[in-house]
Amino acid sequence: MKGDQKHSLIRNIAIAFAATGGTSFRGANLTDADFTQATLKSTDFRNTILICSRWHQAKMLDRVHPGSTYLQNSQIRQLLVTGQGQDKNFDRENLRGINLQKANLADATFIGADLSETNLQDADLSRVKLKQTQLDGTDLTGANFTGAYIEDWGITNTTKLHGVRCEYVFMRLPTKEDPDPLRKPDNKQEVFADGDFADFIKPIFDTLDLYHNQNVDPRAVAIAFKNLAENHPEAELEIVAMEKRGDDKILLRAKTAAGSDKSQLSAEYFDDYNQLKALSQSQQLLLVEKDKRIISLENMVHTALKQPKFYTQGDTNMSDISGINIQGSSNVSGIAGNNSIANLGTISGNVSIALNQLPDATDAEKPGIKELLSQLQDAIIQSTYLSEEDKAEALEQVNTLAEAGKNPQESTKQKTAKTAITMLKGIFTGLPAVASLVEATNKLLPAIAKLFGLA
């Protein structure tokens, strides 16, 4: 009962036996339930939904039958009961859906942890390390973020930032050489005013990312995007960013209406783009004629290819593309840590969200698309041979596969999957044979292709 790992099997059997006849919440939905100061010995929580349930000062929480819930973790139980996590290490822990309202988490580290759907209202997160931490659907209302390190963190459009208290943050983890890396605001004599932090950090989320990997044809890009916008007015396409990747690669990012099928839009765009690209210059000119919207967008792509970094901001919908306000030097969201690399945490978070929407494999011995893509995501993130730019590109392709995996037998999804797998192989080409990523992908990519019906 002291929690010695040597006796964990006996302990689990004893608790399961003791829980027989005790209070059973097995299979219940206890979202937001309050167990403050409750005595919980012999309580059965197997298969129970415990999202944001409150356990402050609960008694004998170590004697419950936790099943596979987060209550099986002794460190998490202690945190939930006491609310004291200062200076603690929770790196790579699955803390999804726990209630840490008003918890003291100052100086704690959550690197690579999943804090999605967690209640962190009014929590003390000062100087906390949140590198690549997932915060999808997390409630940060009133939390104290002063001095936090938020490198590549994964906030989404469902992350609640209302009333966050923050004087300054750091965009990178500290090192001996630089203990205060990329402080925001940049001037160390300045601090965020009330409400400024949420406005500063809120990125643009619901976007269609059109990645062009070589020999970009600006005119074909302009025509294809105009056609897509006109064919799908319900998608409300609006260009928000262009990012140069390498010497001749470009990412065109467009904001979309909620619920838009981005996989379908992407497939249709590239079908049209590739056909237009195959046309001669004179044939393309016949399509353009005197359309100022196409000409403006074409010029923008030319400009993006000539500059190390380029982005757009302002009135960029296709009804008045000529009214675009072009500015330079910074990422449109203001939070990317590298001038030419997308936020890895955000991309990885998007991949995780897409994967969570896929069904689990029915046979534990035979992993499905969800399990295989999760393994691929981990292998990419952990690779020491891939550059951050290549990791970002690879994760975008994994996200594409996850979206296509919702309907893997549809011909359009299979075509999308085939393209994504081909691009992944191209990204991994040239890696040394000893790289663990090479071994992983040699197994994973054929298995993924097979599940999409691709020989």
Side-chain angles (χ1 to χ4, degrees):
M1 299 313 293
K2 293 181 180 179
D4 192 323
Q5 290 299 314
K6 293 188 300 181
H7 308 298
S8 60
L9 178 60
I10 298 174
R11 181 181 185 280
N12 291 339
I13 293 173
I15 288 178
F17 181 79
T20 302
T23 302
S24 175
F25 290 107
R26 188 171 184 176
N29 184 348
L30 297 177
T31 299
D32 294 321
D34 191 349
F35 288 97
T36 298
Q37 296 186 337
T39 301
L40 298 169
K41 180 182 177 182
S42 302
T43 305
D44 189 347
F45 288 110
R46 285 176 294 174
N47 300 320
T48 305
I49 299 174
L50 298 174
I51 298 174
C52 291
S53 302
R54 187 154 174 78
W55 310 96
H56 186 58
Q57 295 182 352
K59 301 175 181 63
M60 307 186 82
L61 192 58
D62 60 331
R63 307 294 175 90
V64 303
H65 199 332
S68 59
T69 68
Y70 54 73
L71 294 178
Q72 64 184 317
N73 187 311
S74 60
Q75 185 184 29
I76 295 176
R77 289 199 304 267
Q78 183 71 11
L79 174 62
L80 291 169
V81 171
T82 65
Q84 297 298 317
Q86 186 170 7
D87 291 314
K88 301 292 185 181
N89 188 318
F90 301 98
D91 291 352
R92 286 167 286 280
E93 290 282 3
N94 182 3
L95 304 172
R96 191 181 189 93
I98 68 175
N99 191 326
L100 295 174
Q101 185 175 5
K102 297 183 179 180
N104 179 8
L105 301 171
D107 299 293
T109 174
F110 293 92
I111 297 173
D114 187 355
L115 283 168
S116 300
E117 300 181 21
T118 299
N119 182 348
L120 286 166
Q121 294 178 14
D122 300 312
D124 185 355
L125 296 167
S126 54
R127 301 174 301 282
V128 71
K129 294 180 176 65
L130 295 173
K131 179 178 180 179
Q132 296 183 352
T133 306
Q134 300 309 313
L135 296 157
D136 177 42
T138 305
D139 190 347
L140 297 167
T141 302
N144 180 8
F145 257 99
T146 297
Y149 301 90
I150 59 174
E151 178 178 350
D152 295 335
W153 68 340
I155 59 175
T156 72
N157 58 343
T158 61
T159 307
K160 298 178 182 178
L161 298 167
H162 179 71
V164 167
R165 294 169 289 135
C166 180
E167 295 184 357
Y168 56 89
V169 292
F170 300 100
M171 310 306 291
R172 284 284 184 269
L173 290 180
T175 62
K176 290 182 179 179
E177 296 76 21
D178 189 359
D180 299 328
L182 290 177
R183 181 190 187 274
K184 299 295 178 181
D186 296 296
N187 186 342
K188 293 185 178 181
Q189 306 304 316
E190 295 181 1
V191 296
F192 289 117
D194 290 344
D196 280 359
F197 174 73
D199 293 336
F200 161 76
I201 210 66
K202 186 178 181 180
I204 297 173
F205 299 101
D206 210 358
T207 59
L208 170 67
D209 294 343
L210 302 172
Y211 178 69
H212 305 73
N213 63 346
Q214 59 183 354
N215 301 323
V216 180
D217 185 331
R219 185 172 296 155
V221 170
I223 299 172
F225 188 83
K226 174 180 177 291
N227 290 343
L228 187 69
E230 290 181 346
N231 292 338
H232 295 278
E234 76 286 351
E236 300 176 9
L237 295 173
E238 177 184 346
I239 298 172
V240 294
M242 286 187 194
E243 300 175 17
K244 184 179 179 182
R245 304 284 187 84
D247 294 332
D248 61 349
K249 304 174 184 178
I250 192 170
L251 173 67
L252 174 65
R253 180 164 285 159
K255 189 176 180 181
T256 64
S260 298
D261 188 337
K262 289 185 278 293
S263 178
Q264 178 186 343
L265 292 171
S266 178
E268 184 176 325
Y269 169 84
F270 279 108
D271 281 343
D272 194 18
Y273 170 74
N274 290 326
Q275 293 178 32
L276 290 164
K277 192 176 178 181
L279 298 178
S280 66
Q281 293 293 311
S282 59
Q283 289 174 314
Q284 288 184 0
L285 283 172
L286 290 174
L287 294 173
V288 175
E289 293 181 346
K290 296 181 180 180
D291 195 318
K292 292 182 179 179
R293 292 174 296 175
I294 291 179
I295 295 171
S296 294
L297 182 52
E298 180 184 351
N299 290 336
M300 288 166 56
V301 178
H302 274 298
T303 303
L305 289 169
K306 293 177 182 178
Q307 296 184 1
K309 181 67 182 177
F310 176 88
Y311 82 106
T312 65
Q313 189 178 58
D315 182 10
T316 56
N317 59 45
M318 286 304 295
S319 64
D320 184 18
I321 197 73
S322 61
I324 293 175
N325 172 26
I326 302 174
Q327 300 180 18
S329 79
S330 176
N331 181 275
V332 68
S333 68
I335 63 171
N338 184 295
N339 285 341
S340 61
I341 299 171
N343 185 310
L344 276 179
T346 300
I347 296 173
S348 184
N350 290 339
V351 173
S352 298
I353 293 169
L355 290 177
N356 286 333
Q357 295 173 354
L358 297 177
D360 295 326
T362 54
D363 187 344
E365 300 298 323
K366 296 181 180 179
I369 293 176
K370 179 179 181 178
E371 290 73 24
L372 293 174
L373 289 179
S374 294
Q375 294 176 41
L376 181 57
Q377 178 190 17
D378 291 341
I380 291 169
I381 293 173
Q382 296 170 13
S383 174
T384 58
Y385 290 94
L386 283 179
S387 66
E388 287 196 355
E389 182 177 1
D390 285 338
K391 284 185 180 181
E393 294 178 13
L395 287 173
E396 286 173 353
Q397 299 310 316
V398 175
N399 191 53
T400 297
L401 287 169
E403 293 291 341
K406 296 175 182 178
N407 296 289
Q409 302 308 313
E410 286 188 7
S411 59
T412 55
K413 306 297 184 184
Q414 290 174 332
K415 184 175 181 180
T416 299
K418 185 176 182 180
T419 301
I421 291 172
T422 300
M423 293 187 69
L424 283 170
K425 290 179 178 178
I427 294 170
F428 302 148
T429 298
L431 290 178
V434 296
S436 59
L437 180 58
V438 172
E439 181 181 356
T441 54
N442 285 341
K443 295 178 181 178
L444 294 172
L445 290 183
I448 293 168
K450 184 177 181 180
L451 291 177
F452 276 101
L454 304 173

